[in-house]
Amino acid sequence: DTEVTQTPKHLVMGMTNKKSLKCEQHMGHRAMYWYKQKAKKPPELMFVYSYEKLSINESVPSRFSPECPNSSLLNLHLHALQPEDSALYLCASSQDRGQEAETQYFGPGTRLLVL
Amino acid sequence: AQTVTQSQPEMSVQEAETVTLSCTYDTSENNYYLFWYKQPPSRQMILVIRQEAYKQQNATENRFSVNFQKAAKSFSLKISDSQLGDTAMYFCAFGRGGTSYGKLTFGQGTILTVHP
C-alpha cells in the first residue's frame, strides 16, 4: 500500500471558523510533511514531523497548527485564516532511515477556500 | 541555499514523440539527490524518477530517463513515446543528503501537454 490519504477533499471556511485537515499513511513512514500549493506553482513546505516530533517549521503563521497524534496520522488545525490562505494543502510522507534524501509520497490534497 | 531552475514554463509534444524537460540547479553540497515529480491535472503528485548525485549512471524508469550532468549541474528529463497520460505539470526537485527528511527545493515547474 503506497497511498497517502487526505480528508476532506474540499473545504470552504469563513475567516472565523476552526477546521482541521487530516492525513493518513500506512506505509510505515516516520516522516510526514505539510505543504501549501498555489495554482501552477510548486509546493511550499510548511511543517515536517520526524518520529512524531516537529522537526521543521518554515515560519508558518500560528493560525496553522500541526499535530501528529501517532506515526500514521497528521493533522493540520486551521483557525482565523485569511483569504490568501486559500490553496491546495498537500500531505506527504517518507521513510526516515538515515542519510539519504528519501522519496516523498504525496496525498491528493485538500482544496481549501477561505471566504 | 539551493536553487532549482526550470526554464520552460510550458511545452507541448505530439503523442508517440520524444520530449526533454530541462532543469538546472545550483548548490555547494556534495551529497544530494535529485527528483522529477509529475502532477497531472487535479490528481496527486507522484515520483517519476530519483537520482543519487554520487551515481554517475543516469536513472531510468521505463519511458522516462534523465541526463544527469553533475559538473554542469543539469538534470533533464526525457520522455520517450509520449502518451496522453503524460500531460501534467512536472517539477524538478533537489534534496540534501545527510538527513533523511527535510526540505525539497522545487523548480517552478513545466506544464507539458501531449497532443493526440
Side-chain angles (χ1 to χ4, degrees), chain A residues 60-100:
Chain A
V60 178
S62 60
R63 57 185 184 269
F64 295 92
S65 175
E67 178 196 20
C68 190
N70 59 55
S71 61
S72 300
L73 277 176
L74 186 66
N75 299 319
L76 186 63
H77 303 297
L78 314 173
H79 173 56
L81 294 193
Q82 304 296 310
E84 59 265 28
D85 296 323
S86 298
L88 182 68
Y89 287 84
L90 297 171
C91 174
S93 71
S94 71
Q95 299 274 13
D96 191 352
R97 292 178 291 196
Q99 300 296 306
E100 296 189 2

Side-chain angles (χ1 to χ4, degrees), chain B residues 12-17 82-87 112-116:
Chain B
S12 63
V13 65
Q14 293 296 125
E15 201 174 5
E17 292 187 348
S82 298
Q83 300 176 0
L84 297 178
D86 295 333
T87 292
L112 175 68
T113 303
V114 181
H115 297 285

